[in-house]
mmCIF file of all heavy atoms in Angstrom:
data_model
loop_
_atom_site.group_PDB
_atom_site.id
_atom_site.type_symbol
_atom_site.label_atom_id
_atom_site.label_comp_id
_atom_site.label_asym_id
_atom_site.label_seq_id
_atom_site.Cartn_x
_atom_site.Cartn_y
_atom_site.Cartn_z
ATOM 1 N N PHE A 500 43.150 174.020 -41.951
ATOM 2 C CA PHE A 500 43.638 174.494 -43.293
ATOM 3 C C PHE A 500 43.832 173.365 -44.318
ATOM 4 O O PHE A 500 43.468 173.471 -45.456
ATOM 5 C CB PHE A 500 44.910 175.336 -43.118
ATOM 6 C CG PHE A 500 45.418 175.958 -44.336
ATOM 7 C CD1 PHE A 500 44.801 177.024 -44.949
ATOM 8 C CD2 PHE A 500 46.506 175.357 -45.021
ATOM 9 C CE1 PHE A 500 45.281 177.585 -46.117
ATOM 10 C CE2 PHE A 500 46.985 175.918 -46.189
ATOM 11 C CZ PHE A 500 46.362 177.029 -46.752
ATOM 12 N N PRO A 506 44.510 173.699 -50.624
ATOM 13 C CA PRO A 506 45.414 174.387 -49.701
ATOM 14 C C PRO A 506 46.802 174.675 -50.289
ATOM 15 O O PRO A 506 47.402 175.715 -50.019
ATOM 16 C CB PRO A 506 45.494 173.468 -48.483
ATOM 17 C CG PRO A 506 45.030 172.152 -48.976
ATOM 18 C CD PRO A 506 44.082 172.409 -50.061
ATOM 19 N N ALA A 507 47.292 173.703 -51.086
ATOM 20 C CA ALA A 507 48.644 173.878 -51.644
ATOM 21 C C ALA A 507 48.657 175.128 -52.573
ATOM 22 O O ALA A 507 49.614 175.887 -52.624
ATOM 23 C CB ALA A 507 49.063 172.598 -52.345
ATOM 24 N N LYS A 508 47.607 175.159 -53.408
ATOM 25 C CA LYS A 508 47.473 176.301 -54.362
ATOM 26 C C LYS A 508 47.447 177.630 -53.593
ATOM 27 O O LYS A 508 48.081 178.627 -54.007
ATOM 28 C CB LYS A 508 46.210 176.101 -55.171
ATOM 29 C CG LYS A 508 46.320 176.564 -56.601
ATOM 30 C CD LYS A 508 44.978 176.540 -57.270
ATOM 31 C CE LYS A 508 44.920 175.585 -58.461
ATOM 32 N NZ LYS A 508 43.562 175.519 -59.047
ATOM 33 N N ILE A 509 46.727 177.652 -52.490
ATOM 34 C CA ILE A 509 46.619 178.850 -51.670
ATOM 35 C C ILE A 509 48.034 179.344 -51.279
ATOM 36 O O ILE A 509 48.333 180.512 -51.428
ATOM 37 C CB ILE A 509 45.759 178.652 -50.412
ATOM 38 C CG1 ILE A 509 44.282 178.399 -50.817
ATOM 39 C CG2 ILE A 509 45.848 179.798 -49.436
ATOM 40 C CD1 ILE A 509 43.374 178.074 -49.684
ATOM 41 N N LEU A 510 48.868 178.402 -50.845
ATOM 42 C CA LEU A 510 50.205 178.740 -50.362
ATOM 43 C C LEU A 510 51.135 179.212 -51.502
ATOM 44 O O LEU A 510 52.116 179.802 -51.240
ATOM 45 C CB LEU A 510 50.823 177.570 -49.617
ATOM 46 C CG LEU A 510 50.430 177.447 -48.121
ATOM 47 C CD1 LEU A 510 51.237 176.328 -47.474
ATOM 48 C CD2 LEU A 510 50.673 178.746 -47.413
ATOM 49 N N THR A 511 50.772 178.877 -52.722
ATOM 50 C CA THR A 511 51.583 179.440 -53.820
ATOM 51 C C THR A 511 51.153 180.830 -54.184
ATOM 52 O O THR A 511 51.970 181.571 -54.761
ATOM 53 C CB THR A 511 51.481 178.547 -55.142
ATOM 54 O OG1 THR A 511 50.115 178.586 -55.563
ATOM 55 C CG2 THR A 511 51.917 177.109 -54.918
ATOM 56 N N MET A 512 49.906 181.168 -53.799
ATOM 57 C CA MET A 512 49.450 182.516 -54.169
ATOM 58 C C MET A 512 49.634 183.515 -53.009
ATOM 59 O O MET A 512 49.622 184.735 -53.312
ATOM 60 C CB MET A 512 47.920 182.462 -54.561
ATOM 61 C CG MET A 512 47.682 181.654 -55.820
ATOM 62 S SD MET A 512 45.966 181.758 -56.337
ATOM 63 C CE MET A 512 45.212 180.637 -55.229
ATOM 64 N N ALA A 513 49.729 183.046 -51.806
ATOM 65 C CA ALA A 513 49.780 183.926 -50.692
ATOM 66 C C ALA A 513 50.644 183.381 -49.565
ATOM 67 O O ALA A 513 50.775 182.205 -49.404
ATOM 68 C CB ALA A 513 48.371 184.177 -50.127
ATOM 69 N N GLN A 514 51.178 184.339 -48.775
ATOM 70 C CA GLN A 514 51.853 183.928 -47.573
ATOM 71 C C GLN A 514 50.781 183.731 -46.454
ATOM 72 O O GLN A 514 49.774 184.511 -46.504
ATOM 73 C CB GLN A 514 52.801 185.064 -47.075
ATOM 74 C CG GLN A 514 53.596 184.694 -45.866
ATOM 75 C CD GLN A 514 54.269 185.902 -45.210
ATOM 76 O OE1 GLN A 514 53.781 187.024 -45.300
ATOM 77 N NE2 GLN A 514 55.353 185.663 -44.505
ATOM 78 N N LEU A 515 50.942 182.742 -45.597
ATOM 79 C CA LEU A 515 49.958 182.546 -44.540
ATOM 80 C C LEU A 515 50.412 183.288 -43.257
ATOM 81 O O LEU A 515 51.510 182.946 -42.801
ATOM 82 C CB LEU A 515 49.887 181.026 -44.323
ATOM 83 C CG LEU A 515 48.529 180.475 -43.861
ATOM 84 C CD1 LEU A 515 47.410 180.776 -44.779
ATOM 85 C CD2 LEU A 515 48.681 178.939 -43.754
ATOM 86 N N LEU A 531 52.130 170.862 -41.198
ATOM 87 C CA LEU A 531 51.123 171.382 -42.111
ATOM 88 C C LEU A 531 51.561 171.190 -43.596
ATOM 89 O O LEU A 531 50.787 170.638 -44.370
ATOM 90 C CB LEU A 531 50.880 172.877 -41.855
ATOM 91 C CG LEU A 531 49.878 173.526 -42.813
ATOM 92 C CD1 LEU A 531 48.453 173.156 -42.410
ATOM 93 C CD2 LEU A 531 50.028 175.035 -42.808
ATOM 94 N N VAL A 532 52.780 171.591 -43.935
ATOM 95 C CA VAL A 532 53.137 171.491 -45.339
ATOM 96 C C VAL A 532 53.272 170.027 -45.761
ATOM 97 O O VAL A 532 52.959 169.665 -46.879
ATOM 98 C CB VAL A 532 54.448 172.308 -45.661
ATOM 99 C CG1 VAL A 532 54.239 173.765 -45.537
ATOM 100 C CG2 VAL A 532 55.668 171.849 -44.902
ATOM 101 N N ILE A 535 49.738 168.680 -46.460
ATOM 102 C CA ILE A 535 49.075 169.114 -47.711
ATOM 103 C C ILE A 535 50.000 168.841 -48.916
ATOM 104 O O ILE A 535 49.725 169.304 -50.021
ATOM 105 C CB ILE A 535 48.630 170.599 -47.674
ATOM 106 C CG1 ILE A 535 49.797 171.541 -47.442
ATOM 107 C CG2 ILE A 535 47.531 170.791 -46.656
ATOM 108 C CD1 ILE A 535 49.318 173.002 -47.425
ATOM 109 N N LEU A 537 53.304 169.522 -49.600
ATOM 110 C CA LEU A 537 54.225 170.503 -50.120
ATOM 111 C C LEU A 537 55.618 170.254 -49.623
ATOM 112 O O LEU A 537 55.820 169.700 -48.560
ATOM 113 C CB LEU A 537 53.745 171.920 -49.695
ATOM 114 C CG LEU A 537 52.544 172.481 -50.401
ATOM 115 C CD1 LEU A 537 52.137 173.820 -49.747
ATOM 116 C CD2 LEU A 537 52.864 172.679 -51.863
ATOM 117 N N SER A 541 58.281 175.158 -48.303
ATOM 118 C CA SER A 541 57.034 175.923 -48.365
ATOM 119 C C SER A 541 56.736 176.582 -46.967
ATOM 120 O O SER A 541 55.890 177.436 -46.857
ATOM 121 C CB SER A 541 55.879 175.106 -48.772
ATOM 122 O OG SER A 541 56.168 174.423 -49.919
ATOM 123 N N SER A 544 56.460 180.192 -46.393
ATOM 124 C CA SER A 544 55.230 180.951 -46.691
ATOM 125 C C SER A 544 54.347 181.077 -45.461
ATOM 126 O O SER A 544 53.206 181.482 -45.611
ATOM 127 C CB SER A 544 54.437 180.351 -47.766
ATOM 128 O OG SER A 544 55.135 179.795 -48.750
ATOM 129 N N ILE A 545 54.824 180.634 -44.299
ATOM 130 C CA ILE A 545 54.011 180.732 -43.125
ATOM 131 C C ILE A 545 54.671 181.586 -42.039
ATOM 132 O O ILE A 545 55.820 181.345 -41.703
ATOM 133 C CB ILE A 545 53.703 179.293 -42.526
ATOM 134 C CG1 ILE A 545 53.092 178.433 -43.642
ATOM 135 C CG2 ILE A 545 52.817 179.372 -41.304
ATOM 136 C CD1 ILE A 545 52.929 176.985 -43.254
#
Side-chain angles (χ1 to χ4, degrees):
F500 183 76
K508 214 187 242 179
I509 292 177
L510 278 186
T511 63
M512 294 186 282
Q514 182 195 28
L515 210 55
L531 178 78
V532 295
I535 60 180
L537 284 175
S541 310
S544 324
I545 303 172

